Amino acid sequence: MEDIRVGNSQYIRDLNLTGIFRLIHKYGPVSRKELAENTGYSAATISNHVKRLLDNNFVIETDKGSSTGGRKPVYLTVNPSRSYIISVGIEVNHIRLMLFDLNLNVKNRLILPLINKKPEDIIKDLIQEIKDFCKDSKIKSDKIIGIGIALPGLVNDKKGLLYFAPNLDWRNIEIKKYFQEVFEFPVVIENEAKAAVLGEREFIYPEANNIVFVSINEGIGCGIIFEGNLYRGASRNAGEFGHIIIDSDGPKCHCGNQGCWETLASLNYIVSRFEQETGQIIVPDQLKEKLSSEEKLPSIIKDTARNIAVGLVNIINSLSPGILVIGGDITEFKEEIADDIDRILADRTLAVLYENTEIVYSKLGNNASLYGIARMVFDNNIEEQIFEVV
């Protein structure tokens, strides 16, 4: 288990209380004896802290364990219905809502179409949808510890500001302000790829210290876990690998450059290539169902796979991640792209880096960012939640 700090002041006692709660959350069901053995606390101190958590319903006792003689130990686990977290994923064509309990298990989910309106109107509609979502889930607002919003663009996570979401054409939107004018609980916003890499690490690869999540949708974003921590860089927007240039004579990008990776390896690239070669209009949601009937699509997707691989070579050669996760809507075409990507990576990546990188496809799928933003809300707000009532 992890060490937690022991101190005498009320403040330190409160921190140690939440530290014990986090250990129960991570390792539970766990006994009081196991907590004492792994924290340096006395049995009496553990009992006092656990009693406070039990009295306020943050923790519950579970079935007794087996005994090697003497009393059977009683195990502790988090009370999942004590509090809830709402995750929102705003995408180009959809908005996803997920409700998590305090154990970070999904209790409800909803997908909404994103109607072509002004961003302010979309947010107002979304706020009403969240109210209805909570009502339908029979969750009162005082049981919600926070809401997390994952966005496909550059954000200021401290100010709750969306700088620019190119594929939505949203600029300088004070996302957090809109929600906090209506809801009393805290609001967390984050770039969707950063949220996704945290989701994949926390829920799928909890022991991994170096992960890159490549989110390929209408655009491309990347989230980086470096030495166990989410890497943000000086601007707090590190990971814009979608704008590495892989063809200086390539298509114009919304960022102002030419031949950015996302102009040649995203769903938008597949759509634009298909329209250029056939004269037919198509949207990303139609690509999978038309793959077998439109003869041009297989070759376009094959070219896209090669372009994806070129960008991944650059990521592996520059960052040397232990795990590289390919995620986003492109994973619907895993069968069509995986072999070409694997072949090019094996051929073009520096051998020692390639051999130490596990290349996988997201196990959380389109929901990776919602899992990750839920974890962010939990980490940011659980102390305050406990301090308020315990």
Side-chain angles (χ1 to χ4, degrees):
M1 286 190 185
E2 305 152 350
D3 291 335
I4 57 176
R5 185 171 49 174
V6 178
N8 294 318
S9 72
Q10 180 63 46
Y11 178 68
I12 297 299
R13 282 198 298 271
D14 287 343
L15 287 181
N16 290 331
L17 179 70
T18 58
I20 288 172
F21 175 81
R22 285 180 180 275
L23 291 178
I24 296 170
H25 190 273
K26 184 172 183 178
Y27 296 105
V30 61
S31 69
R32 291 168 175 81
K33 181 181 178 183
E34 288 169 333
L35 289 171
E37 289 173 348
N38 288 280
T39 61
Y41 280 120
S42 67
T45 301
I46 288 291
S47 293
N48 288 336
H49 282 312
V50 167
K51 183 177 185 303
R52 293 169 69 190
L53 293 170
L54 285 167
D55 288 346
N56 290 278
N57 296 318
F58 282 100
V59 168
I60 55 177
E61 294 181 334
T62 66
D63 293 340
K64 295 180 180 180
S66 59
S67 174
T68 57
R71 293 179 60 187
K72 291 183 179 180
V74 175
Y75 282 79
L76 304 163
T77 190
V78 169
N79 178 7
S81 61
R82 175 60 177 79
S83 301
Y84 295 87
I85 294 167
I86 299 170
S87 287
V88 179
I90 298 179
E91 304 171 13
V92 174
N93 298 304
H94 307 283
I95 298 175
R96 299 176 191 272
L97 300 180
M98 292 180 73
L99 179 71
F100 291 81
D101 65 23
L102 197 56
N103 260 330
L104 297 180
N105 293 317
V106 178
K107 305 307 293 181
N108 201 358
R109 64 185 74 206
L110 179 66
I111 299 177
L112 305 166
L114 196 151
I115 307 301
N116 187 20
K117 295 181 179 180
K118 293 180 181 179
E120 294 84 357
D121 293 332
I122 291 173
I123 293 169
K124 288 176 182 177
D125 290 346
L126 174 57
I127 287 171
Q128 184 58 52
E129 291 285 355
I130 291 171
K131 290 179 180 178
D132 294 341
F133 182 61
C134 292
K135 185 177 180 180
D136 292 343
S137 304
K138 297 180 172 56
I139 303 299
K140 295 181 179 179
S141 61
D142 61 358
K143 300 201 79 174
I144 296 171
I145 67 170
I147 182 169
I149 304 166
L151 297 155
L154 300 173
V155 304
N156 184 320
D157 61 296
K158 297 292 189 182
K159 295 182 179 180
L161 172 68
L162 172 67
Y163 289 125
F164 182 36
N167 290 300
L168 287 171
D169 197 25
W170 289 14
R171 297 175 185 268
N172 297 317
I173 308 296
E174 294 182 286
I175 300 285
K176 186 174 181 178
K177 178 182 176 182
Y178 282 98
F179 285 85
Q180 293 208 308
E181 286 176 348
V182 178
F183 300 118
E184 294 183 359
F185 42 78
V187 178
V188 174
I189 78 161
E190 187 53 86
N191 167 268
E192 63 91 15
K194 288 183 177 61
V197 74
L198 187 63
E200 204 78 21
R201 195 279 293 271
E202 292 293 327
F203 290 87
I204 306 298
Y205 307 103
E207 304 304 320
N209 285 323
N210 295 283
I211 305 180
V212 173
F213 187 101
V214 182
S215 179
I216 306 177
N217 298 292
E218 284 78 4
I220 297 179
C222 295
I224 304 165
I225 298 285
F226 178 70
E227 296 299 317
N229 297 306
L230 182 64
Y231 181 70
R232 297 181 181 276
S235 69
R236 301 186 68 80
N237 279 283
E240 288 297 316
F241 280 92
H243 298 287
I244 58 174
I245 297 171
I246 66 170
D247 181 359
S248 59
D249 295 320
K252 185 81 170 179
C253 181
H254 54 73
C255 75
N257 286 323
Q258 285 183 256
C260 290
W261 187 27
E262 73 173 42
T263 68
L264 294 162
S266 64
L267 296 183
N268 279 349
Y269 170 72
I270 298 174
V271 167
S272 62
R273 269 279 304 272
F274 181 78
E275 291 177 359
Q276 289 169 12
E277 295 185 17
T278 68
Q280 298 180 50
I281 303 298
I282 196 171
V283 297
D285 284 351
Q286 297 174 321
L287 289 173
K288 187 65 177 179
E289 65 182 73
K290 290 183 177 292
L291 185 60
S292 61
S293 60
E294 298 288 351
E295 62 180 25
K296 291 284 186 180
L297 270 179
S299 63
I300 293 171
I301 290 173
K302 194 172 184 66
D303 288 345
T304 305
R306 289 194 287 264
N307 292 338
I308 290 171
V310 170
L312 296 181
V313 167
N314 285 307
I315 291 174
I316 295 172
N317 282 346
S318 56
L319 296 180
S320 185
I323 300 173
L324 188 149
V325 184
I326 301 170
D329 288 335
I330 198 67
T331 56
E332 292 187 14
F333 302 96
K334 178 182 175 181
E335 291 183 4
E336 290 77 22
I337 66 176
D339 288 345
D340 284 326
I341 289 175
D342 290 344
R343 175 178 51 79
I344 293 170
L345 290 181
D347 184 52
R348 298 192 187 181
T349 308
L350 294 173
V352 67
L353 303 179
Y354 176 75
E355 290 166 4
N356 285 279
T357 302
E358 181 182 0
I359 297 145
V360 298
Y361 289 80
S362 173
K363 289 183 169 61
L364 298 176
N366 290 327
N367 294 320
S369 62
L370 284 91
Y371 278 86
I373 201 75
R375 183 74 207 198
M376 286 183 176
V377 171
F378 177 88
D379 287 338
N380 288 357
N381 298 307
I382 191 60
E383 278 88 357
E384 183 178 351
Q385 175 82 2
I386 290 175
F387 291 175
E388 285 180 357
V389 297
V390 176

